[in-house]
């Protein structure tokens, strides 16, 4: 199983955090990271995103750019302050490739939980539209295959 953890792109500043859309720069960031993702060996992955508009928009751009025929799924538990242990259990139950589009600090904590089995210290700096590519190497064991962000591409 392959897994991508992606932070959404730059978003507008609105009073209602749930409704903040991507900026034009954020849409470009999502398209750039999707170009990198398109070269990875993912085949029709399941795509989860948070309930926030900016994550759904980023997931849609990634889906369109990669040409996957996957469907987008809004999944509870991907908010910035959601506990990572619940989502780690859900991820462990998955067999097919998975792409998750979410937020900080959740993405950094989730990455640390999966790779080191501890979310208490964050090892990953997820700038906007940063993506961490992992492959499962055994039960509850993940190998880091790549990490990048639009500014590096």
């Amino acid at each position: 199983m392959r897994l991508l953890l992606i932070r959404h792109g730059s978003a507008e500043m609105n009073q209602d955090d749930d409704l903040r859309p991507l900026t034009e720069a954020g849409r470009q960031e999502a398209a750039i990271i999707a170009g990198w993702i398109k070269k990875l060996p993912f085949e029709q992955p399941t795509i989860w995103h948070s309930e926030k508009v900016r994550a759904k928009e980023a997931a849609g751009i990634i889906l369109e750019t990669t040409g996957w025929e996957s469907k987008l799924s809004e999944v509870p538990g991907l908010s910035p302050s959601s506990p990572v242990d619940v989502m780690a259990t859900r991820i462990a139950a998955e067999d097919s490739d998975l792409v998750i589009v979410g937020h900080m600090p959740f993405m950094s904590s989730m990455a640390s939980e999966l790779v080191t089995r501890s979310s208490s210290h964050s090892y990953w700096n997820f700038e906007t539209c940063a993506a961490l590519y992992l492959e499962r190497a055994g039960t509850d064991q993940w190998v880091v295959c790549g990490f990048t962000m639009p500014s590096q591409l």
Side-chain angles (χ1 to χ4, degrees):
M1 175 195 174
R2 296 171 192 91
L3 172 65
L4 270 172
L5 300 177
I6 306 166
R7 181 181 177 196
H8 64 80
S10 299
E12 297 285 346
M13 297 306 288
N14 280 347
Q15 297 214 354
D16 186 342
D17 187 55
D18 290 349
L19 302 177
R20 292 174 49 208
L22 294 175
T23 61
E24 180 57 35
R27 288 188 287 280
Q28 290 175 358
E29 290 167 342
I32 290 167
I33 207 67
W36 178 74
I37 292 167
K38 190 174 184 176
K39 298 172 187 172
L40 301 176
F42 283 74
E43 294 185 27
Q44 310 309 328
T46 301
I47 303 173
W48 295 349
H49 62 82
S50 81
E51 73 286 354
K52 298 184 185 297
V53 169
R54 58 195 180 273
K56 182 177 182 178
E57 287 181 340
I61 292 167
I62 291 165
L63 178 63
E64 181 180 340
T65 303
T66 57
W68 295 328
E69 295 178 11
S70 307
K71 293 194 188 246
L72 301 179
S73 297
E74 184 175 300
V75 174
L78 295 174
S79 294
S81 59
S82 294
V84 297
D85 57 338
V86 174
M87 193 54 59
T89 300
R90 267 191 92 173
I91 291 169
E94 290 292 314
D95 291 326
S96 63
D97 290 349
L98 179 62
V99 174
I100 301 175
V101 182
H103 311 272
M104 281 296 286
F106 178 83
M107 283 305 187
S108 183
S109 296
M110 176 56 66
S112 295
E113 175 72 22
L114 294 173
V115 175
T116 68
R117 296 187 185 170
S118 173
S119 61
S120 62
H121 182 76
S122 176
Y123 297 95
W124 304 97
N125 178 20
F126 278 79
E127 293 181 12
T128 53
C129 259
L132 176 65
Y133 168 30
L134 303 168
E135 287 191 10
R136 190 179 326 206
T139 305
D140 295 330
Q141 192 172 30
W142 294 89
V143 174
V144 175
C145 297
F147 180 76
T148 194
M149 54 199 77
S151 63
Q152 294 178 332
L153 300 172

